[in-house]
Amino acid sequence: MKEFTLLVGNQCGLCNDAKIQIALAQEDIDFTVNEINITSDPALEAQYFMSIPVLLHNDVVVQEGQIDFVTIMEYLKKTKENVFIYFFRSFYLLTISGLAIMYV
Protein backbone atom coordinates (compact mmCIF):
# COMPACT_ATOMS: atom_id res chain seq x y z
CA MET A 1 0.00 0.00 0.00
CA LYS A 2 1.27 3.45 -0.89
CA GLU A 3 1.97 5.86 1.91
CA PHE A 4 1.75 9.62 1.43
CA THR A 5 2.51 12.57 3.68
CA LEU A 6 0.30 15.64 3.76
CA LEU A 7 1.93 18.77 5.13
CA VAL A 8 -0.64 21.18 6.55
CA GLY A 9 -0.79 24.32 8.66
CA ASN A 10 -3.10 25.94 11.17
CA GLN A 11 -6.29 27.58 9.88
CA CYS A 12 -5.52 26.56 6.31
CA GLY A 13 -8.57 26.43 4.04
CA LEU A 14 -6.62 24.85 1.19
CA CYS A 15 -5.47 22.14 3.61
CA ASN A 16 -9.09 21.31 4.43
CA ASP A 17 -9.89 21.19 0.70
CA ALA A 18 -6.89 18.89 0.15
CA LYS A 19 -8.17 16.45 2.78
CA ILE A 20 -11.50 16.26 0.96
CA GLN A 21 -9.80 15.59 -2.40
CA ILE A 22 -7.58 12.93 -0.82
CA ALA A 23 -10.59 11.24 0.79
CA LEU A 24 -12.30 11.10 -2.61
CA ALA A 25 -9.22 9.44 -4.13
CA GLN A 26 -9.08 6.95 -1.24
CA GLU A 27 -12.58 5.80 -2.17
CA ASP A 28 -11.15 4.52 -5.48
CA ILE A 29 -7.61 3.45 -4.55
CA ASP A 30 -6.30 2.17 -1.24
CA PHE A 31 -3.50 4.35 0.18
CA THR A 32 -2.64 5.94 3.50
CA VAL A 33 -1.86 9.54 4.37
CA ASN A 34 0.16 10.70 7.35
CA GLU A 35 -0.70 14.28 8.20
CA ILE A 36 2.00 16.56 9.60
CA ASN A 37 1.37 20.08 10.81
CA ILE A 38 4.40 22.10 9.75
CA THR A 39 4.09 24.42 12.76
CA SER A 40 5.35 21.56 14.93
CA ASP A 41 8.73 21.55 13.13
CA PRO A 42 10.61 24.83 12.50
CA ALA A 43 12.55 23.33 9.57
CA LEU A 44 9.38 22.16 7.82
CA GLU A 45 7.70 25.47 8.53
CA ALA A 46 10.59 27.41 7.01
CA GLN A 47 10.66 25.18 3.92
CA TYR A 48 6.93 24.77 3.23
CA PHE A 49 5.19 27.78 4.83
CA MET A 50 4.28 29.35 1.47
CA SER A 51 3.46 26.03 -0.23
CA ILE A 52 0.99 24.24 2.05
CA PRO A 53 -0.77 22.00 1.62
CA VAL A 54 1.92 19.74 0.20
CA LEU A 55 1.32 16.10 -0.74
CA LEU A 56 4.49 13.98 -0.70
CA HIS A 57 5.24 10.40 -1.70
CA ASN A 58 8.69 9.07 -0.79
CA ASP A 59 9.88 12.66 -0.23
CA VAL A 60 8.78 13.62 -3.76
CA VAL A 61 6.27 16.45 -4.08
CA VAL A 62 3.16 15.11 -5.79
CA GLN A 63 1.33 18.42 -5.60
CA GLU A 64 1.36 21.61 -3.55
CA GLY A 65 -0.98 24.50 -2.99
CA GLN A 66 -4.17 23.36 -4.68
CA ILE A 67 -4.43 19.57 -4.22
CA ASP A 68 -6.94 17.94 -6.57
CA PHE A 69 -8.45 14.51 -7.09
CA VAL A 70 -7.39 14.23 -10.75
CA THR A 71 -3.70 14.85 -10.07
CA ILE A 72 -3.69 12.36 -7.19
CA MET A 73 -5.34 9.70 -9.36
CA GLU A 74 -2.96 10.33 -12.27
CA TYR A 75 0.02 10.02 -9.93
CA LEU A 76 -1.31 6.77 -8.44
CA LYS A 77 -1.99 5.29 -11.88
CA LYS A 78 1.42 6.39 -13.17
CA THR A 79 3.25 4.78 -10.25
CA LYS A 80 1.12 1.65 -10.60
CA GLU A 81 2.06 1.39 -14.29
CA ASN A 82 5.74 1.82 -13.42
CA VAL A 83 5.52 -1.09 -10.98
CA PHE A 84 3.83 -3.25 -13.65
CA ILE A 85 6.44 -2.34 -16.25
CA TYR A 86 9.23 -3.17 -13.80
CA PHE A 87 7.58 -6.50 -12.98
CA PHE A 88 7.04 -7.29 -16.67
CA ARG A 89 10.65 -6.45 -17.55
CA SER A 90 11.93 -8.54 -14.64
CA PHE A 91 9.75 -11.48 -15.66
CA TYR A 92 10.86 -11.11 -19.29
CA LEU A 93 14.53 -11.05 -18.27
CA LEU A 94 14.05 -14.13 -16.12
CA THR A 95 12.42 -16.08 -18.94
CA ILE A 96 15.14 -15.07 -21.42
CA SER A 97 17.81 -16.32 -19.05
CA GLY A 98 16.06 -19.69 -18.90
CA LEU A 99 14.44 -19.26 -15.52
CA ALA A 100 10.75 -19.45 -16.28
CA ILE A 101 8.72 -18.52 -13.22
CA MET A 102 4.97 -18.81 -13.11
CA TYR A 103 3.04 -16.46 -10.84
CA VAL A 104 -0.42 -17.52 -9.83
Short mmCIF file of all heavy atoms in Angstrom, two decimals, residues 2 4 55-58 60-62 69-82:
data_model
loop_
_atom_site.label_atom_id
_atom_site.label_comp_id
_atom_site.label_asym_id
_atom_site.label_seq_id
_atom_site.Cartn_x
_atom_site.Cartn_y
_atom_site.Cartn_z
N LYS A 2 0.51 2.20 -0.82
CA LYS A 2 1.27 3.45 -0.89
C LYS A 2 1.01 4.30 0.34
O LYS A 2 -0.10 4.35 0.85
CB LYS A 2 0.89 4.22 -2.14
CG LYS A 2 1.34 3.55 -3.41
CD LYS A 2 1.25 4.52 -4.55
CE LYS A 2 1.59 3.91 -5.87
NZ LYS A 2 2.67 3.01 -5.91
N PHE A 4 1.51 8.22 1.77
CA PHE A 4 1.75 9.62 1.43
C PHE A 4 1.88 10.42 2.72
O PHE A 4 1.44 10.00 3.78
CB PHE A 4 0.58 10.18 0.61
CG PHE A 4 0.52 9.66 -0.78
CD1 PHE A 4 -0.07 8.44 -1.06
CD2 PHE A 4 1.05 10.38 -1.84
CE1 PHE A 4 -0.14 7.95 -2.35
CE2 PHE A 4 0.99 9.91 -3.13
CZ PHE A 4 0.40 8.68 -3.39
N LEU A 55 1.48 17.55 -0.75
CA LEU A 55 1.32 16.10 -0.74
C LEU A 55 2.61 15.47 -1.23
O LEU A 55 3.07 15.77 -2.33
CB LEU A 55 0.14 15.68 -1.63
CG LEU A 55 -0.23 14.20 -1.60
CD1 LEU A 55 -0.67 13.76 -0.19
CD2 LEU A 55 -1.32 13.91 -2.61
N LEU A 56 3.21 14.63 -0.39
CA LEU A 56 4.49 13.98 -0.70
C LEU A 56 4.32 12.47 -0.78
O LEU A 56 3.52 11.89 -0.06
CB LEU A 56 5.52 14.28 0.40
CG LEU A 56 5.84 15.74 0.72
CD1 LEU A 56 6.59 15.84 2.03
CD2 LEU A 56 6.65 16.33 -0.41
N HIS A 57 5.12 11.87 -1.65
CA HIS A 57 5.24 10.40 -1.70
C HIS A 57 6.72 10.08 -1.81
O HIS A 57 7.37 10.50 -2.77
CB HIS A 57 4.47 9.84 -2.90
CG HIS A 57 4.57 8.36 -3.01
ND1 HIS A 57 5.22 7.75 -4.06
CD2 HIS A 57 4.12 7.36 -2.21
CE1 HIS A 57 5.15 6.44 -3.90
NE2 HIS A 57 4.49 6.19 -2.79
N ASN A 58 7.24 9.38 -0.84
CA ASN A 58 8.69 9.07 -0.79
C ASN A 58 9.53 10.33 -0.96
O ASN A 58 10.47 10.36 -1.73
CB ASN A 58 9.06 8.05 -1.87
CG ASN A 58 8.40 6.71 -1.64
OD1 ASN A 58 8.08 6.35 -0.51
ND2 ASN A 58 8.18 5.97 -2.70
N VAL A 60 8.97 12.96 -2.48
CA VAL A 60 8.78 13.62 -3.76
C VAL A 60 7.46 14.39 -3.70
O VAL A 60 6.44 13.83 -3.28
CB VAL A 60 8.74 12.60 -4.92
CG1 VAL A 60 8.38 13.27 -6.24
CG2 VAL A 60 10.06 11.87 -5.02
N VAL A 61 7.49 15.65 -4.10
CA VAL A 61 6.27 16.45 -4.08
C VAL A 61 5.35 15.99 -5.21
O VAL A 61 5.71 16.04 -6.38
CB VAL A 61 6.59 17.96 -4.24
CG1 VAL A 61 5.30 18.76 -4.36
CG2 VAL A 61 7.43 18.45 -3.08
N VAL A 62 4.17 15.51 -4.82
CA VAL A 62 3.16 15.11 -5.79
C VAL A 62 2.40 16.35 -6.26
O VAL A 62 2.17 16.54 -7.44
CB VAL A 62 2.19 14.07 -5.18
CG1 VAL A 62 1.06 13.74 -6.14
CG2 VAL A 62 2.94 12.82 -4.76
N PHE A 69 -8.17 15.92 -6.88
CA PHE A 69 -8.45 14.51 -7.09
C PHE A 69 -7.79 13.97 -8.35
O PHE A 69 -7.17 12.91 -8.35
CB PHE A 69 -9.98 14.31 -7.15
CG PHE A 69 -10.42 12.96 -7.57
CD1 PHE A 69 -10.49 11.92 -6.66
CD2 PHE A 69 -10.78 12.71 -8.88
CE1 PHE A 69 -10.91 10.66 -7.05
CE2 PHE A 69 -11.20 11.46 -9.29
CZ PHE A 69 -11.27 10.43 -8.36
N VAL A 70 -7.90 14.70 -9.46
CA VAL A 70 -7.39 14.23 -10.75
C VAL A 70 -5.88 14.02 -10.70
O VAL A 70 -5.36 13.00 -11.16
CB VAL A 70 -7.78 15.20 -11.88
CG1 VAL A 70 -7.12 14.82 -13.19
CG2 VAL A 70 -9.29 15.25 -12.04
N THR A 71 -5.16 14.97 -10.15
CA THR A 71 -3.70 14.85 -10.07
C THR A 71 -3.29 13.68 -9.18
O THR A 71 -2.35 12.95 -9.51
CB THR A 71 -3.08 16.16 -9.56
OG1 THR A 71 -3.48 17.22 -10.43
CG2 THR A 71 -1.57 16.08 -9.52
N ILE A 72 -3.99 13.50 -8.08
CA ILE A 72 -3.69 12.36 -7.19
C ILE A 72 -3.90 11.05 -7.94
O ILE A 72 -3.05 10.16 -7.91
CB ILE A 72 -4.58 12.40 -5.93
CG1 ILE A 72 -4.27 13.64 -5.09
CG2 ILE A 72 -4.38 11.14 -5.10
CD1 ILE A 72 -5.29 13.91 -3.99
N MET A 73 -5.03 10.93 -8.64
CA MET A 73 -5.34 9.70 -9.36
C MET A 73 -4.33 9.45 -10.48
O MET A 73 -3.89 8.32 -10.68
CB MET A 73 -6.76 9.74 -9.91
CG MET A 73 -7.84 9.76 -8.84
SD MET A 73 -7.78 8.35 -7.71
CE MET A 73 -8.34 7.06 -8.80
N GLU A 74 -3.96 10.49 -11.21
CA GLU A 74 -2.96 10.33 -12.27
C GLU A 74 -1.63 9.87 -11.70
O GLU A 74 -0.97 9.01 -12.28
CB GLU A 74 -2.78 11.65 -13.03
CG GLU A 74 -3.93 11.97 -13.95
CD GLU A 74 -3.81 13.34 -14.60
OE1 GLU A 74 -2.89 14.12 -14.23
OE2 GLU A 74 -4.63 13.63 -15.49
N TYR A 75 -1.24 10.42 -10.56
CA TYR A 75 0.02 10.02 -9.93
C TYR A 75 -0.05 8.55 -9.51
O TYR A 75 0.89 7.78 -9.75
CB TYR A 75 0.34 10.91 -8.73
CG TYR A 75 1.61 10.51 -8.04
CD1 TYR A 75 2.83 10.98 -8.52
CD2 TYR A 75 1.62 9.65 -6.96
CE1 TYR A 75 4.02 10.60 -7.91
CE2 TYR A 75 2.79 9.26 -6.35
CZ TYR A 75 3.99 9.74 -6.83
OH TYR A 75 5.17 9.35 -6.23
N LEU A 76 -1.16 8.16 -8.89
CA LEU A 76 -1.31 6.77 -8.44
C LEU A 76 -1.30 5.81 -9.62
O LEU A 76 -0.68 4.75 -9.56
CB LEU A 76 -2.59 6.62 -7.63
CG LEU A 76 -2.56 7.25 -6.24
CD1 LEU A 76 -3.96 7.35 -5.67
CD2 LEU A 76 -1.66 6.44 -5.32
N LYS A 77 -1.97 6.16 -10.69
CA LYS A 77 -1.99 5.29 -11.88
C LYS A 77 -0.61 5.22 -12.52
O LYS A 77 -0.18 4.17 -12.96
CB LYS A 77 -3.03 5.77 -12.87
CG LYS A 77 -4.44 5.52 -12.39
CD LYS A 77 -5.47 6.06 -13.35
CE LYS A 77 -6.87 5.84 -12.80
NZ LYS A 77 -7.89 6.44 -13.63
N LYS A 78 0.09 6.36 -12.58
CA LYS A 78 1.42 6.39 -13.17
C LYS A 78 2.38 5.51 -12.38
O LYS A 78 3.12 4.72 -12.96
CB LYS A 78 1.95 7.82 -13.21
CG LYS A 78 3.34 7.94 -13.81
CD LYS A 78 3.82 9.37 -13.80
CE LYS A 78 4.22 9.72 -12.39
NZ LYS A 78 4.90 11.00 -12.25
N THR A 79 2.34 5.60 -11.06
CA THR A 79 3.25 4.78 -10.25
C THR A 79 2.86 3.31 -10.30
O THR A 79 3.71 2.44 -10.25
CB THR A 79 3.31 5.27 -8.79
OG1 THR A 79 2.00 5.30 -8.24
CG2 THR A 79 3.94 6.64 -8.70
N LYS A 80 1.57 3.03 -10.46
CA LYS A 80 1.12 1.65 -10.60
C LYS A 80 1.63 1.06 -11.92
O LYS A 80 2.09 -0.07 -11.96
CB LYS A 80 -0.41 1.58 -10.54
CG LYS A 80 -0.96 0.18 -10.59
CD LYS A 80 -2.47 0.20 -10.47
CE LYS A 80 -3.04 -1.19 -10.51
NZ LYS A 80 -4.49 -1.21 -10.43
N GLU A 81 1.56 1.85 -13.00
CA GLU A 81 2.06 1.39 -14.29
C GLU A 81 3.56 1.14 -14.24
O GLU A 81 4.07 0.19 -14.81
CB GLU A 81 1.73 2.41 -15.37
CG GLU A 81 0.27 2.46 -15.73
CD GLU A 81 -0.08 3.65 -16.61
OE1 GLU A 81 0.84 4.39 -17.02
OE2 GLU A 81 -1.28 3.83 -16.88
N ASN A 82 4.29 2.00 -13.55
CA ASN A 82 5.74 1.82 -13.42
C ASN A 82 6.07 0.52 -12.71
O ASN A 82 7.00 -0.18 -13.09
CB ASN A 82 6.38 3.00 -12.70
CG ASN A 82 6.38 4.25 -13.53
OD1 ASN A 82 6.21 4.20 -14.74
ND2 ASN A 82 6.55 5.38 -12.89
#
